[in-house]
Each structure stands twice: as C-alpha cells, then as structure tokens.
Amino acid sequence: MTDAIYPQVRIVSARFLRPDTVEQLLNRLVQVGGIRRMSINGPSIPATVPYGPARGQPNPHPDRKVIRVGDQDVQLRVQVGTIILEIEDESYIPVIGEAVDEVFADKDFSCTVQQGRYMKTQPTLSDYAKYGPDADKQILGLVDPRRKDGPVIIQGTK
Amino acid sequence: MKVKRNMAYKPQYGPGTSKVAENRRKQMNPKQKLEKMRDVTDEDIVLILGHRAPGAAYPTAHPPLAEQQEPDCPIRKIVTPTEGAKAGDRVRYIQFADSMFFAPSHPYQRTYTEAYRFRGIDPGTLSGRQIVECRERDLEKYSKDLVNTELLDPARTGIRGATVHGHSLRLAENGMMFDMLQRSVLGEDGIVRYVKNQIGEPLDRAVAIGKPLDEKWLKAHTTIFHSLGGTPYRDDKEYIEYVQRIHTLRTKYGFLPKE
C-alpha cells in the first residue's frame, strides 16, 4: 500500500517495448532518482504454455529476458507496455518527462507521462480474503504478494 | 451442387459507401478473385496447422462414403459431398486472431467471406478470434486460400489455435501483434516466420510466410472501421442507416412492424 502523500506517475508507450528499450528507459529513470516504487505492467509472457493442447510445454519467447537495471538483474515476465512509478515529490515529474522524451526521441512512436493514482492505497476486502491479514503491504495491489520472489531493490544514492 | 444462376435478387453483400465497406464486399463476393500475396506451400500449411505430420495419410472418422450404405435421403441426393466428406476425413480447424490495428480481415468478416466462398464449413465467430472447422482435406485447401491471399497480413493476423490474446492490444515495437506464445517471429531480414504450430508446439523447421505489409496497404485494404487513423464508422452514413434500420426492426419485431 502507499501513503497518499506521494505522487504517482504512469509512463505509457504507444507500442509494447522490446527488452532492450525497457532496459534503456529504466536505467535512465534510475538516474533521475526520487523513485520510491516502480511496477512494470503489460500482458504476461509465461514460462510454460498455460492452457490449450500444448499445456505445460516450455514457452521460449524472445522477449522474456533478464535485463540489467542499475546494479540488479530483473527478470521480465511481461511484455512491457506501462510503467507505474511512485515518486518522492512532484519536482521529479518534469525530469521524468524529459528522460522519457530523450529515450523515445529516435523512435517512430510516442510515449506519454501521466500523473494520477495508479497504485492501491488501501487493502480491499477481497485482498484480505485472498492474502490474509499479514500480506506484504509494500507490494499489495502491484503484484501477487504470495509470490516467493520478492521485489527487486535498486539502491539509490540517498 | 448446381446453383441457380439467375436468381431474382442480386446479392449486395453489405451496405456502405466507404472504402472499408467496399473492401468488405470485395472479400465476401465469391466472383471477386482475392489478390494473391504470398506462396506458402501445402507442406508449410500442414506444419502450421499441426493436425497431422506432412505426408502422413489422413486419419478417418468413418469409412469413405462410396464404401458405406447411405440411407435413402433426398437431401443427400441434392448435395454433393466435398472431397473430405467423401473420404471420411476427421473434422479439424484453423483459427485466426486479427489485430484491431487495420488487419485485412476480422472475425465477422471472415465468417461471411468463408460462408460465401467455401463449402462444408462450420465457422465460429468470437470477439477476438474466428475458428473454421471442416474436413481435414478441405481445411488444408481452404487454409491455403486464407493464408496466401490478401485476407492475411503476416504481422497483424495470427494463426492461433489456442492462447489467442492480443487482437485488441498495442502492437509491439516492430509492428507485430502481441502473442503470448510468440508463434511467429519477425526476423532480421524482415520476414515473418512461424516457429511454432497454431497451438504453440515448436516446429522442426521455421515456416516463412513473408514480409509484413506496409501501413499504407493495410489502411487501403482493411475491413475494420477505426476512428484513430482510419475510416471512422460514423462517417459511413449508409452503413449507420442500415444498422439502425435492422436494430429498429428487430426491436419492434414483437409488435409486427409494417414497412
């Protein structure tokens, strides 16, 4: 969950991004700083075929890759289309906008930066029923808190 | 089967004055030859379909019609069986997903087109995918038409038996429609190749189906109304009038409307 005092930003590109573009964009955002939490969204790319006659077979996919962000490896599990950020204060928003423009300057499609509320601020009754009272509030509403692999922590300069 | 040539009505296929409506009529009208865009071989089609190994005999669901006693039925006397039905083939399928971003065809359109052009088929229309079932031998013949003509764009049409999600999503950076199983891959040389069959099982060899068509061609040949960058539906007054008339009539139907 988030404290409502922190502003949130959503970065939406007109096309789904290739892993190398995501790597470039995230590294540029990490340089900007001021990011408390980040979630990358998009349609899922599972490791095995989830249903149908080929269910359970491995699903090699060129976009399911490990990328390097800051000093950490991040396993991509989705085709990235949206990035949600929670930032420390509003002064970072124009800087993020500039960073995004810089990365997308040589692409033939656009990318927009929007401000709003994109992360949950309060657990719902369904969250309580599904995950119980002790669910990790840091990631509830962003990903399934029952996942064994936790969030990737990228150390800032603070 | 003999079709009565001089019918009282000339089929109109569909209303509309826009380019999109014209493209729809063109696809549906069996007298219009569809433009051939690529040359995918019979063996390649069999590989993508994944129902039998190339070169293998067709498994059968029943003995050939010539070898079995047919009941005395007037309909059977009128309707000539298709090749597949004659041989007693199994019923198999091909399924397509068409991107909303100006794919050359779309589910409803495919069903109409197939119903006008092919025999012995059972199409199923859903919002994001369209499946057509028929006897295996016929299926391979029809699939070849569906893949080789202008009904398919290698990037924005997917041959997907299962896990079809992607028709309403943004395109990928390279212009391909999202596919969770990535059955088709755009190569460095700009050619799209199927590396998995339609249900997502890896193929022994990649099947090339050609280069994606450019944006200009797609916009000129699409059968999808799209208010962002294409022909908006509301601009085709005749189409709207037709749909509204059908809607009004079926709403009032219970009250026996008189025109």
Side-chain angles (χ1 to χ4, degrees), chain B residues 42-95:
Chain B
D42 291 342
E43 191 188 316
D44 290 348
I45 297 282
V46 172
L47 281 172
I48 296 177
L49 291 177
H51 298 309
R52 66 182 181 106
Y58 290 97
T60 53
H62 59 77
L65 291 183
E67 288 174 23
Q68 65 177 24
Q69 288 286 314
E70 289 261 68
D72 187 28
C73 163
I75 301 299
R76 289 182 202 226
K77 282 177 188 148
I78 302 171
V79 182
T80 332
T82 61
E83 286 306 310
K86 237 185 248 171
D89 287 353
R90 302 177 299 179
V91 172
R92 285 295 174 266
Y93 66 90
I94 186 168
Q95 184 167 256

Side-chain angles (χ1 to χ4, degrees), chain A residues 12-18 21 43-46 49-54 57 59-63 79 81-82 107 109, chain B residues 93 101 156 161-165 169-176 178-182 185 196-197 199-202 215:
Chain A
V12 190
S13 61
R15 294 261 175 128
F16 286 129
L17 303 176
R18 278 202 312 263
T21 314
S44 160
I45 303 173
V49 179
Y51 46 81
Q57 287 196 16
N59 177 32
H61 195 297
D63 289 350
Q79 178 120 43
T82 310
K107 308 255 182 245
F109 58 91
Chain B
Y93 66 90
F101 288 100
R156 306 202 187 180
T163 331
V164 293
H165 187 52
L169 302 182
R170 281 167 277 174
L171 299 171
E173 247 182 87
N174 57 9
M176 297 286 287
F178 174 78
D179 183 3
M180 193 196 267
L181 306 185
Q182 199 74 38
V185 180
K196 296 179 184 173
N197 68 16
I199 57 159
E201 289 166 341
E215 196 73 21

Side-chain angles (χ1 to χ4, degrees), chain B residues 18-240:
Chain B
S18 58
K19 181 77 189 154
V20 173
E22 195 185 302
N23 292 340
R24 288 184 179 189
R25 283 194 290 269
K26 188 191 166 200
Q27 289 187 2
M28 283 190 265
N29 186 352
K31 285 188 189 131
Q32 289 259 12
K33 205 170 169 336
L34 292 174
E35 202 180 330
K36 195 169 176 221
M37 305 299 292
R38 58 195 73 83
D39 205 5
V40 181
T41 62
D42 291 342
E43 191 188 316
D44 290 348
I45 297 282
V46 172
L47 281 172
I48 296 177
L49 291 177
H51 298 309
R52 66 182 181 106
Y58 290 97
T60 53
H62 59 77
L65 291 183
E67 288 174 23
Q68 65 177 24
Q69 288 286 314
E70 289 261 68
D72 187 28
C73 163
I75 301 299
R76 289 182 202 226
K77 282 177 188 148
I78 302 171
V79 182
T80 332
T82 61
E83 286 306 310
K86 237 185 248 171
D89 287 353
R90 302 177 299 179
V91 172
R92 285 295 174 266
Y93 66 90
I94 186 168
Q95 184 167 256
F96 291 95
D98 298 284
S99 172
M100 282 166 53
F101 288 100
F102 314 111
S105 201
H106 61 93
Y108 262 94
Q109 177 67 24
R110 280 185 186 281
T111 294
Y112 278 122
T113 304
E114 285 160 4
Y116 277 119
R117 285 176 184 268
F118 303 145
R119 289 187 57 218
I121 54 161
D122 178 10
T125 322
L126 299 104
S127 57
R129 60 197 166 105
Q130 191 263 4
I131 188 168
V132 59
E133 295 178 15
C134 59
R135 304 288 190 146
E136 199 163 354
R137 211 165 298 227
D138 305 331
L139 174 74
E140 284 167 17
K141 198 172 98 202
Y142 299 156
S143 301
K144 208 174 164 190
D145 278 355
L146 293 172
V147 171
N148 279 335
T149 57
E150 57 183 290
L151 292 175
L152 180 132
D153 170 50
R156 306 202 187 180
T157 306
I159 305 169
R160 304 179 179 187
T163 331
V164 293
H165 187 52
H167 85 284
S168 61
L169 302 182
R170 281 167 277 174
L171 299 171
E173 247 182 87
N174 57 9
M176 297 286 287
M177 175 168 59
F178 174 78
D179 183 3
M180 193 196 267
L181 306 185
Q182 199 74 38
R183 279 159 272 228
S184 53
V185 180
L186 181 67
E188 292 285 314
D189 51 357
I191 291 175
V192 177
R193 289 185 180 79
Y194 271 78
V195 293
K196 296 179 184 173
N197 68 16
Q198 61 170 342
I199 57 159
E201 289 166 341
L203 293 173
D204 295 337
R205 65 171 175 86
V207 172
I209 59 162
K211 290 190 176 180
L213 300 161
D214 61 59
E215 196 73 21
K216 205 173 145 212
W217 188 95
L218 285 168
K219 282 194 180 166
H221 288 78
T222 187
T223 51
I224 301 175
F225 288 108
H226 203 311
S227 55
L228 294 175
T231 313
Y233 190 32
R234 65 179 81 92
D235 286 5
D236 195 334
K237 296 279 181 296
E238 191 181 300
Y239 223 118
I240 300 259

Side-chain angles (χ1 to χ4, degrees), chain A:
Chain A
M1 296 301 107
T2 181
D3 288 322
I5 53 165
Y6 295 110
Q8 291 171 12
V9 162
R10 180 168 71 172
I11 301 168
V12 190
S13 61
R15 294 261 175 128
F16 286 129
L17 303 176
R18 278 202 312 263
D20 50 340
T21 314
V22 179
E23 194 169 27
Q24 198 188 343
L25 176 63
L26 294 188
N27 279 315
R28 187 66 190 81
L29 290 176
V30 168
Q31 279 172 18
V32 169
I35 297 168
R36 285 171 47 83
R37 289 188 301 159
M38 179 195 287
S39 168
I40 48 181
N41 285 153
S44 160
I45 303 173
T48 53
V49 179
Y51 46 81
R55 182 175 173 175
Q57 287 196 16
N59 177 32
H61 195 297
D63 289 350
R64 192 186 159 83
K65 267 191 186 160
V66 176
I67 58 171
R68 185 96 186 150
V69 183
D71 55 351
Q72 294 289 323
D73 285 335
V74 180
Q75 167 70 55
L76 286 182
R77 292 195 196 88
V78 293
Q79 178 120 43
V80 182
T82 310
I83 296 168
I84 302 170
L85 307 171
E86 184 184 79
I87 48 184
E88 280 171 1
D89 59 67
E90 293 199 353
S91 68
Y92 289 101
I93 297 175
V95 199
I96 288 173
E98 279 166 29
V100 170
D101 288 344
E102 197 181 298
V103 172
F104 285 86
D106 59 338
K107 308 255 182 245
D108 53 1
F109 58 91
S110 61
C111 185
T112 51
V113 178
Q114 301 161 323
Q115 192 191 350
R117 294 232 74 88
Y118 306 109
M119 295 177 182
K120 250 184 213 178
T121 49
Q122 212 179 328
T124 61
L125 190 62
S126 310
D127 286 333
Y128 183 82
K130 267 198 268 185
Y131 310 120
D134 302 324
D136 183 356
K137 290 201 164 54
Q138 281 294 312
I139 54 172
L140 194 62
L142 293 179
V143 288
D144 185 349
R146 284 176 301 190
R147 278 199 85 99
K148 287 197 185 72
D149 38 358
V152 175
I153 295 165
I154 296 162
Q155 195 62 48
T157 45
K158 245 182 193 172

